[in-house]
Amino acid sequence: MRLFGKEPVRMENSEIARVFFEIADLLELKGGDLFRVRSYRNAGMVADGLPESLKTLYEDGGEDGLKGIPGIGESTRTKIIEMLETGGCAFHRELLTEMPSGMLEILKVSGVGPKKAALIHKELGVKTIDELEKAAAEGRIQELAGFGQVSEEKILRGIKDLKSRTQVFKLSFVTPFALSFVAWLKKVPGIIDIVPAGSYRRWKETVGDLDILTTCSDARAVMDHFVKHPEVREVVSMGETKSTVVLKAGLQVDIRVLEKKAFGAALQYFTGSKAHNVAIRDRAKRMGLKISEYGVFRENGQWVAGEKEEAVYAAVGLPWIPPELREMRGEIEAAEKGALPEPLKRSDIRGDLHVHTKESDGTYTLEQMAEAAMKLGYEYMAVTDHSKAVGIARGLDEARIMAQMQAVDEFNDKLRKQKKKFTVLKSTEVDIRADGTLDHPESVLRKLDLVVASVHSGFSMSMDEMTKRVVKAIRTGLINIIGHPTGRLIGEREPYLIDLAKVMAEAKKYNTALELNSYPDRLDLNDSHCMLAKEKGVLVAISTDSHSIHHLANIEYGIHTARRGWLEKKDVLNTRPLVELMKILKKK
DNA sequence: GCCGTTTTCGGCCCGACTGTTTTCAGTCG
Ligand SMILES: Nc1nc2c(ncn2[C@H]2C[C@H](O)[C@@H](COP(=O)(O)OP(=O)(O)OP(=O)(O)O)O2)c(=O)[nH]1
Ligand SMILES: [Mg+2]
Ligand SMILES: [Mg+2]
Ligand SMILES: [Zn+2]
């Protein structure tokens, strides 16, 4: 808890969201109205997914600035303002006096929901997960009404899982498992479709589990084979159409098996998001239809659609919505108006503007990186080795970068002689020092085709200081792209504190783009930052920050993240052909 | 608590699997 003061307390959207999620859980534990619980949960999700900072909206527009956000009504808006002004929420604190915070942890145990948790708390006085473990180990759980030996064992397993298991996984961690399961399931005779769905298909940067949709008329055969995958540690449940396993790596995998005729409806269902599904189903209902994973049906039960996903959307009067957009961030309204963004394609990307070579901390030469970029069909690639301040990466000093520029010129000459339509851009990833100055002299930076500038150290500054640091760098007028603008490493390092809205406002003035770093551990900017960039009219450069020829393919993660951020071809700097790109880079 | 080409009140997505249930509640997707 922070103290009251003149200065408004900075509570991030994610922190406000967390309070709403906890209120929802606490109300549910208390046995409160489930629709009210849903409203708080929904408000949390809305706050979390909002591109603009609630604090900024409130500062700029007062209470009115917070109006018109779907899912945020009178009550939650008042609580948001309270949190922005005081750093906390009285209602939340009050609920916590009635229900210990340890109960929130207990809800995370697989198989324990609000009803069971509340009963355990009431009957046994259990307040923490350790007390729950003790009670279960002592056999006190199975004595309770509605519990038995099996459920008690399940709780013990659930606690062990929870303590050992990662909560979310990076998308790139899950990819090999997805490929492995697809290959594994192909061996089932008669299996037709095998498609990873869920948050994986929506390209969320982190996913909670892997969801796989299959169609086959022999469901039993699919299930039997599924649970025999060599990576399976535990079979959580196994039914006719749906099973769940946990892998040795801690990853949960859910599978659904349906008839081919339901493939489209099932894919729509299993892709989610949950909130998107609920909204689509609600819409169908209001149109006198019913949507489930089995299809679209009239009230009399007559089948309307289901074989194709597109037909499911068509049945409710909508065009097909790309999975990356199915997050309840306005996609249904946009679809209705025919205003969905045109999905960014791999072929829209003309080149990579952040690539390292052996000169700094890359593992391949300039020539090798260029060769690999050409193979991807690119027109250009910027060599962006580090500057001297990044010592561990053997950053280049003035003499070395001058030499590199010459090497690039010579290489480009060679390419031209070979009639290759490819250009290497002389560039750098210059360090933005703690004081906001750049780690190469202006004379050097002016000789380059393109300047990427990023923060590599001195992360622990106040938001104000960090914002000023980056803004000062932008104001040199020498920077074309701000690299990995928040510095986060998913699951390892929090983003440094920075006011991106302010940075973007300045970037717009100085014709500076912000990078979407496609390295799957970074994805920085993230999806909602992209939405903000688009809103502010700032171009995004989708780059890979490749340190090896193999990293260039990471562009795929960047493209899909950009799609999640509603970006189109025109919003992305490196969709421009070389000539156009050069014009933009010069406009300073 | 939120929201409105049926509504400012009265709805709020729909279905699978499990365990302990004697007919279904709880949890999860
Ligand atoms: N209609 C409906 N569909 C749901 C519900 N819960 C989940 N689904 C669908 C949509 C989800 O994307 C899909 C897979 O469920 P998951 O729990 O794995 O969620 P998802 O993959 O979206 O996110 P995750 O990263 O796994 O947490 O199942 C629900 O309550 N209603
Ligand atoms: Mg999932
Ligand atoms: Mg799942
Ligand atoms: Zn880099």
Side-chain angles (χ1 to χ4, degrees):
Chain A
M1 250 296 288
R2 284 178 256 199
L3 297 175
F4 290 76
K6 288 266 175 350
E7 277 290 295
V9 182
R10 162 76 61 170
M11 243 178 118
E12 297 290 332
N13 290 3
S14 59
E15 296 173 285
I16 290 170
R18 167 162 295 277
V19 171
F20 284 142
F21 289 136
E22 290 193 8
I23 288 175
D25 283 351
L26 293 163
L27 281 175
E28 204 172 13
L29 281 165
K30 273 183 61 180
D33 174 31
L34 292 179
F35 294 111
R36 196 171 162 227
V37 168
R38 175 195 286 187
S39 289
Y40 278 109
R41 213 157 266 152
N42 191 238
M45 282 173 36
V46 169
D48 224 3
L50 214 60
E52 304 90 356
S53 143
L54 286 163
K55 177 168 190 259
T56 305
L57 288 176
Y58 181 54
E59 276 172 356
D60 294 354
E63 179 158 7
D64 283 348
L66 297 173
K67 284 191 180 147
I69 306 172
I72 306 290
E74 182 67 35
S75 170
T76 47
R77 182 165 50 245
T78 308
K79 289 183 178 67
I80 289 170
I81 293 170
E82 181 192 358
M83 286 187 261
L84 290 172
E85 287 186 343
T86 72
C89 171
F91 182 53
H92 177 236
R93 286 194 297 274
E94 190 185 308
L95 286 170
L96 279 171
T97 63
E98 297 167 46
M99 188 60 72
S101 62
M103 297 303 295
L104 298 171
E105 282 298 306
I106 287 178
L107 285 179
K108 291 186 192 150
V109 178
S110 159
V112 180
K115 293 289 194 304
K116 286 184 178 178
L119 188 82
I120 290 166
H121 174 63
K122 184 163 167 275
E123 296 296 323
L124 302 175
V126 163
K127 293 188 292 298
T128 66
I129 202 141
D130 289 334
E131 288 172 14
L132 174 63
E133 188 167 26
K134 189 155 175 280
E138 290 168 358
R140 278 145 59 206
I141 299 290
Q142 54 173 300
E143 308 291 314
L144 265 39
F147 290 82
Q149 234 172 9
V150 179
S151 52
E152 188 175 74
E153 277 162 25
K154 205 178 153 201
I155 287 175
L156 279 171
R157 268 209 315 278
I159 294 173
K160 247 182 74 190
D161 276 1
L162 184 69
K163 285 184 171 171
S164 69
R165 213 181 63 199
T166 324
Q167 294 296 300
V168 290
F169 301 85
K170 274 176 279 206
L171 188 58
S172 57
F173 177 86
V174 176
T175 304
F177 290 103
L179 298 177
S180 164
F181 267 93
V182 169
W184 178 256
L185 289 165
K186 269 193 186 138
K187 294 184 208 156
V188 178
I191 196 157
I192 307 164
D193 301 286
I194 313 164
V195 185
S199 49
Y200 180 87
R201 182 167 180 240
R202 302 197 312 278
W203 288 81
K204 254 189 97 184
E205 59 191 37
T206 59
V207 302
D209 67 2
L210 175 61
D211 304 288
I212 301 173
L213 173 67
T214 64
T215 58
C216 186
S217 42
D218 186 0
R220 184 84 291 147
V222 177
M223 294 308 184
D224 285 342
H225 193 65
F226 173 66
V227 299
K228 285 197 198 103
H229 188 285
E231 287 300 312
V232 170
R233 181 177 79 197
E234 184 192 339
V235 180
V236 178
S237 70
M238 193 174 164
E240 280 293 311
T241 81
K242 175 181 163 180
S243 299
T244 295
V245 297
V246 175
L247 307 185
K248 292 166 190 164
L251 180 70
Q252 178 175 310
V253 185
D254 295 329
I255 192 171
R256 294 275 332 229
V257 189
L258 290 99
E259 293 288 344
K260 176 74 182 170
K261 192 176 188 211
F263 176 73
L267 185 59
Q268 197 285 324
Y269 151 73
F270 217 24
T271 298
S273 65
K274 174 182 168 177
H276 174 89
N277 287 357
V278 170
I280 292 289
R281 289 173 179 206
D282 178 62
R283 180 184 173 88
K285 195 170 180 156
R286 284 187 279 107
M287 295 170 72
L289 297 168
K290 185 186 73 168
I291 297 183
S292 74
E293 59 266 49
Y294 295 100
V296 184
F297 304 90
R298 283 192 228 290
E299 270 158 358
N300 62 15
Q302 192 192 353
W303 185 91
V304 176
E307 189 152 1
K308 288 221 149 73
E309 204 178 38
E310 197 169 0
V312 174
Y313 284 101
V316 291
L318 297 174
W320 180 82
I321 300 175
E324 294 93 333
L325 296 177
R326 302 182 194 173
E327 298 288 351
M328 275 313 272
R329 292 158 153 168
E331 71 276 13
I332 295 177
E333 295 71 14
E336 206 162 31
K337 289 189 282 187
L340 286 172
E342 183 68 30
L344 191 65
K345 299 190 300 289
R346 172 65 185 70
S347 58
D348 290 333
I349 302 293
R350 304 287 187 117
D352 201 322
L353 299 177
H354 190 157
V355 167
H356 294 273
T357 74
K358 268 179 136 158
E359 275 302 305
S360 64
D361 57 350
T363 44
Y364 290 83
T365 62
L366 156 65
E367 291 79 5
Q368 288 170 319
M369 293 305 290
E371 198 65 42
M374 278 184 255
K375 277 197 190 131
L376 292 179
Y378 288 157
E379 286 176 38
Y380 51 81
M381 175 192 96
V383 191
T384 56
D385 278 313
H386 289 286
S387 60
K388 59 188 179 301
V390 189
I392 37 166
R394 304 196 317 113
L396 280 63
D397 60 14
E398 194 173 338
R400 284 177 64 210
I401 195 167
M402 294 303 286
Q404 187 182 52
M405 280 190 241
Q406 197 180 339
V408 170
D409 281 337
E410 284 164 14
F411 183 63
N412 279 332
D413 280 346
K414 210 166 93 187
L415 288 175
R416 234 164 288 141
K417 278 190 199 122
Q418 295 171 353
K419 302 252 184 283
K420 293 239 171 79
K421 280 197 158 178
F422 187 85
T423 305
V424 178
L425 302 180
K426 289 173 281 187
S427 185
T428 178
E429 180 181 12
V430 65
D431 184 55
I432 300 175
R433 298 182 187 128
D435 63 359
T437 59
L438 301 176
D439 192 35
H440 277 309
E442 180 171 345
S443 58
V444 167
L445 295 174
R446 288 208 181 279
K447 291 195 180 77
L448 296 166
D449 296 315
L450 169 128
V451 174
V452 178
S454 1
V455 168
H456 294 99
S457 58
F459 295 146
S460 46
M461 290 184 166
S462 70
M463 177 172 303
D464 200 40
E465 286 171 319
M466 185 61 87
T467 306
K468 280 190 178 134
R469 173 180 179 181
V470 175
V471 162
K472 181 174 171 187
I474 291 172
R475 285 183 179 158
T476 62
L478 298 166
I479 298 175
N480 299 109
I481 301 171
I482 298 289
H484 42 75
T486 79
R488 69 138 174 202
L489 291 174
I490 299 173
E492 282 169 59
R493 189 171 76 204
E494 288 295 305
Y496 42 72
L497 299 171
I498 187 162
D499 189 335
L500 279 180
K502 282 200 184 122
V503 169
M504 286 177 189
E506 209 62 23
K508 174 145 180 71
K509 280 191 221 158
Y510 284 84
N511 189 34
T512 302
L514 265 64
E515 178 179 86
L516 192 180
N517 190 300
S518 306
Y519 199 70
D521 295 36
R522 289 193 183 269
L523 295 176
D524 177 12
L525 306 175
N526 68 19
D527 52 3
S528 30
H529 297 149
C530 286
M531 297 174 97
L532 190 64
K534 181 168 184 156
E535 191 184 304
K536 302 270 178 199
V538 173
L539 284 177
V540 173
I542 306 179
S543 309
T544 60
D545 200 354
S546 286
H547 287 70
S548 136
I549 53 173
H550 308 294
H551 292 160
L552 290 167
N554 283 335
I555 196 77
E556 209 68 44
Y557 288 97
I559 291 169
H560 289 281
T561 299
R563 283 195 190 186
R564 288 178 58 83
W566 291 57
L567 297 190
E568 298 180 274
K569 191 174 173 180
K570 64 171 168 48
D571 305 313
V572 178
L573 177 62
N574 50 317
T575 58
R576 308 292 199 275
L578 180 65
V579 180
E580 236 179 279
L581 173 77
M582 294 308 279
K583 272 189 215 154
I584 295 176
L585 297 180
K586 293 243 157 61
K587 254 191 269 164
K588 300 247 82 181

